[in-house]
Amino acid sequence: MGEKLCAGKESAIMSRSLATIILNVPCEFHEESFRISEWDKEKLTSIFTELEFRTLGKRLLGATFNQEGGQTDLFGNAVDFKDKPRAAEPKEVEHAPSAMIKTIQDVPHKYSLVNSTEAISQLAADLHKHKEICFDTETTGLDANGCEIVGMSFSVVKGEAYYVPCPIDRGETIKFLQAFAPLFLDEKITWIGQNIKFDLLVLKNYGFDFAGKIFDTMLAHFVIEPEGKRSMDALSEKYLEYAPISIEALIGKKGKGQGTMRDVELDVIKEYASEDADITLQLKEVFLPLLVENKVEKVFYEVDAPLVKVLTDMEFEGIKVHAGFLKEYSDVLDKDIKIAEESVYAQAGHRFNLASPKQLGEILFDKLQLDPKAKKTKTGQYATGEDVLAKLAHHHKICDDILVFRELSKLKSTYVDALPQLINPKTGRVHTTFAQAIAVTGRLSSINPNLQNIPIRSDRGKEVRKAFVPRDENHVLMSADYSQIELRIVAAISGDPAMCEAFKAGKDIHIATAAKVYNIAESEVTKEMRYKAKSVNFGIIYGQGAFGLADNLGISRTEAKEIIDNYKREFVNITKYMDDTINFARENGFVQTLMGRRRWLRDINSGNFTVRGFAERNAINSPIQGSAADMIKLAMYKIHQRMKEEKVKSKMLLQVHDELVFDVLKGEEDQMKQLVLSCMEYAMPLPNEVPTIAEVGFGANWLEAH
Amino acid sequence: MKKTLYLVDAYAMIFRAYYALARNPRITSTGKNTNAQFGFTNTLVELLQKKNPTHIAVCFDMGAPTERLETFADYKANRDETPEDIKLAVPDIHRIIDGFNIPIMGVPGYEADDVIGTLAKQAEKEGFEVFMVTPDKDFGQLVSENIFMYRPPYQGNTFEVMGPKEVCAKWEINHVDQVIDILALMGDAVDNIPGVKGIGEKTASKLIKEYGNLDKILEHADEVKALWERNCAQGRKALL
């Protein structure tokens, strides 16, 4: 300490002068000129308009604020920005009330209640004259497989809508809605809705299927602007400058006290539901030209929209989960967790709260002195993250025990104990929801529960997959997955001759890569070399540099750099692809997949190294991951079609990124295998004739099938 | 009603606004990032509407090299290059401040800190209650009975007003002047004040508590060293 002080004396004295705020600056405080005065509304209007502060402008300046946001320049001339790279639409993250946003009070509308049998038949007949019908359902909840229909609204003309309330009794409702069955079954009708999969699934639970085409405004907005909010209320405020009636005005705030749509007065729910259908129809009109302008019609009409009905059917099916197996496994885990925990306490010398990182850090680094160079976090505690413990685990059993404790505890609470709770009492199965408009790359997300992140790396994690079983003894689970799909896409879009050749020859791509990188024969490639080559291959997909690779492999940065340099030399076109992609993004503000799905990268030209680097990695990764997502979506649609055509009894159940899971009726195994493989392999032919390979497995549970 | 003067540290607020929205940026239809403009305006409006100040000014660093830079070439060198978006935002923010009819203060060769400090002390003499709107810790040295730090809300925290009591409590010191000595010892990564290598917040505060000020500490460096070594023998925890 004293030494530090002696050495730092000069620095301290200089620092003191740097830290001292100067109080004799030549400036003077004039009371009058600092006094608050009237705002210059003209100046504020001009700058707010230019910056497109629409909501803020209206809030501060009231009705005088005319908003022509973004379309005029400083001098009021129209600015044409159509051919400039556009980094998506402006986002207003404000929630302030504003004068210019209209509500149901300000806009003429004709929302009618349709209540009698005759009126319903009349409505159905009138609607059937239209080729496009916007509709919405009101329900008692958000679980489409568990809630009841309260009513349906329809709109075919802006400003007009109809609300049909449904009886409480299920059988009555089915009879009631029968009037619309001819519409539902008409292949020529396009159904418009916001998150329409929910409505389709609700109606499917009442026995109604839709034969027509689908236009989902949420999905349209997703391909136009993959990032940002897209609830109907948000879209309406942004694109229509109209604030719909809030659901909280009807049934109260979220939480325990919230009522259901059943409790809402008929007159009120009529206005609310009709407005939803009306607004959704209007949004569709706004999005149509935007789909064209952004050149995303293809991915919308060929990939995302057709998938809606496929996913509806999959969510309807759900998958059988063996609750008894999970209960037993929970007990096994419980025992092992206790053993690991006790072992930790024994080595620590006493009991403490293992869940507290603070206490754990003190035990490991103060008491046991496992690492004299232990790092601390910002809050002053020792870091006890997985990476830290994993490094120490080789030499200290206590760290290994802690890791086991953590892994098993997480497994138990997130899956083993949670899954049985999620079994639908009506169907006895677990029904996930596939969210189509969350992941910006275009991948599907699985929520409530998330079945896409069940651990498969560890043996303990894998066991959970055993709980997923066929629906009965007449069925068997089938899993089909793409092999090395992302690397094949890299090879195909970069056109790298070496890599394309390896795939065409059906080689193990990582061995082929290792042979090139180490400049040896493929037969001489060791396991370790293959492992390193594999890391580079995947590192490339994620835009990883020497630093990341070194960290991943536990090798020196010099060695990592050498491997990467060799790689870049051997696979010249891959380097070129990466450079070209980044340059494309810099010029255009976006990157795109093989089906034309765009991802906007507004930070790609940022002056900040970190921010720009992040955008560059996304630029490289998004077309690859997104193209893989497009491919499996196309495959799913084809499989769904073919299964209908061939009238098989088997069902498609789950998608886990590059894997599909099916309940296959015994006897249909060969047929399904062929059907699925051919649909997957020919879903989206890759450039440069890179072959696409899928593999299929069967089993008495998901683990066995995979 | 007491006259209140709010002095806004412009760049501190602009940076904060920019990074607070960095994950969900606001982009205009022409592709312009308006995080800084938007966040700054929001903070300013909130201040005007909630605090109802009678007097206000916004203070900027001016382009010319400051006295400190002449002292230490690395001063503030640690800062990442100012993001392009922020550079582009400053003229807009000038226009916004102008639109609110608020004076913009800045003196070439001095930092906003110095301008704020000078104005604050002058206004205090004229009977004002002064609030320095900034998150920067070095302003702690300026607070008094009538001068406060006003830290605007950030990431869900509410705003915070710091007077002498709060500043002293934060650093465990007796007098706000000691903030300078604390910073001289521990340094400030944001401003790249070097401080003394190996001394952090805790030690700095401990030493100041023991010896009162930096000069005394440096005078007694040998004693500190001896104490240090003895403590080392007993286990380093005592001093640290």
Side-chain angles (χ1 to χ4, degrees), chain A residues 138 233 244-253 258 261 264 272:
Chain A
E138 299 308 328
D233 289 7
I245 308 167
S246 104
I247 185 142
E248 290 182 357
L250 269 62
I251 58 173
K253 286 209 186 296
Q258 196 176 40
M261 294 306 263
V264 180
Y272 173 86

Side-chain angles (χ1 to χ4, degrees), chain A residues 476-487:
Chain A
V476 56
L477 276 193
M478 178 174 101
S479 156
D481 66 346
Y482 280 117
S483 143
Q484 314 283 18
I485 191 61
E486 293 189 343
L487 282 178

Side-chain angles (χ1 to χ4, degrees), chain A residues 1-6 8-9 11-41 43-44 46-48 50-54 56 59-60 69-71 74 79 81 84-94 227-229 366 602-603 605-611, chain B residues 3 5 7 19 24-30 32 34 37-38 41-42 45 48-49 53-57 67-68 71-72 75 80-81 92 95-96 98-101 103 105 107 110 113-115 117-119 121-123 126 128 138-139 141-142 180-181 183-185 193-199 203 207 214-215 217-218 221 224-225 228-229 239:
Chain A
M1 174 67 50
E3 272 157 25
K4 283 179 201 163
L5 273 172
C6 296
K9 187 169 176 175
S11 174
I13 290 168
M14 181 177 64
S15 295
R16 178 167 57 186
S17 88
L18 290 173
T20 306
I21 292 176
I22 300 164
L23 296 175
N24 57 358
V25 175
C27 66
E28 234 170 292
F29 174 68
H30 291 291
E31 187 167 343
E32 275 327 296
S33 57
F34 284 42
R35 189 184 294 281
I36 289 281
S37 52
E38 283 289 303
W39 299 352
D40 186 330
K41 291 200 173 180
K43 282 185 185 166
L44 288 177
S46 147
I47 181 76
F48 287 172
E50 215 177 299
L51 298 175
E52 299 174 14
F53 289 178
R54 288 188 291 169
L56 185 72
R59 177 160 64 96
L60 293 180
Q71 282 149 45
L74 264 176
V79 175
F81 50 82
K84 283 187 199 158
R86 275 180 35 166
E89 293 292 309
K91 273 183 216 160
E92 294 266 311
V93 286
E94 309 154 39
E227 279 167 86
K229 289 184 183 159
D366 285 340
R602 42 180 85 91
D603 292 330
N605 292 314
S606 168
N608 181 304
F609 176 79
T610 318
V611 173
Chain B
K3 294 181 288 187
L5 170 66
L7 296 168
Y19 285 110
N24 196 9
R26 299 171 53 89
I27 312 289
T28 67
S29 50
T30 51
K32 182 174 186 169
T34 58
Q37 294 93 318
F38 183 71
T41 309
N42 260 345
V45 167
L48 292 173
Q49 294 186 333
T54 60
H55 295 70
I56 189 167
E67 210 174 283
R68 290 187 184 80
T71 312
F72 178 47
Y75 181 61
D80 221 344
E81 196 192 340
D92 290 340
R95 286 172 59 198
I96 292 167
D98 190 35
F100 285 113
N101 253 327
M105 298 299 289
V107 180
Y110 292 91
D113 303 22
D114 305 325
V115 176
T118 304
L119 290 173
K121 293 292 176 192
Q122 288 177 12
E126 293 183 29
F128 276 81
D138 38 336
F139 281 91
Q141 61 186 278
L142 295 177
I180 300 173
D181 292 347
L183 291 174
L185 285 167
I193 296 176
V196 177
K197 234 184 176 166
I199 293 187
T203 315
L207 287 170
L214 180 63
D215 289 330
I217 295 169
L218 294 174
V224 175
K225 185 179 172 184
W228 163 254
E229 279 164 356
L239 190 62

Side-chain angles (χ1 to χ4, degrees), chain A residues 694-706:
Chain A
E695 285 152 2
V696 154
F698 293 91
N701 59 56
W702 190 5
L703 183 65
E704 219 177 282
H706 184 69

Side-chain angles (χ1 to χ4, degrees), chain A residues 514-573:
Chain A
K516 292 263 179 202
V517 169
Y518 292 103
N519 194 23
I520 52 176
E522 284 176 19
S523 56
E524 288 170 43
V525 171
T526 64
K527 230 178 168 181
E528 201 195 335
M529 290 172 177
R530 181 183 184 275
Y531 176 70
K532 285 179 183 169
K534 184 175 171 181
S535 293
V536 191
N537 273 333
F538 287 114
I540 293 291
I541 300 179
Y542 295 102
Q544 192 182 46
F547 189 79
L549 183 70
D551 202 42
N552 241 356
L553 290 172
I555 59 177
S556 73
R557 225 180 298 172
T558 330
E559 186 185 347
K561 190 172 176 301
E562 201 183 315
I563 295 179
I564 290 181
D565 288 346
N566 286 349
Y567 187 96
K568 288 186 171 170
R569 200 183 55 238
E570 292 297 324
F571 301 97
V572 181
N573 281 27

Side-chain angles (χ1 to χ4, degrees), chain A residues 304-363:
Chain A
D304 284 356
L307 192 65
V308 172
K309 291 203 282 183
V310 180
L311 296 176
T312 306
D313 287 354
M314 289 165 68
E315 290 179 19
F316 180 76
E317 283 307 322
I319 185 163
K320 187 170 177 188
V321 168
H322 196 316
F325 169 83
L326 288 174
K327 178 76 198 60
E328 280 171 29
Y329 191 41
S330 176
D331 293 342
V332 172
L333 287 179
D334 205 42
K335 265 186 216 139
D336 291 349
I337 290 169
K338 291 233 166 71
I339 291 171
E341 196 179 356
E342 289 305 324
S343 168
V344 171
Y345 296 149
Q347 291 167 80
H350 62 91
R351 306 181 77 84
F352 61 99
N353 182 3
L354 190 42
S356 152
K358 184 170 179 288
Q359 294 188 23
L360 177 62
E362 286 165 6
I363 295 278

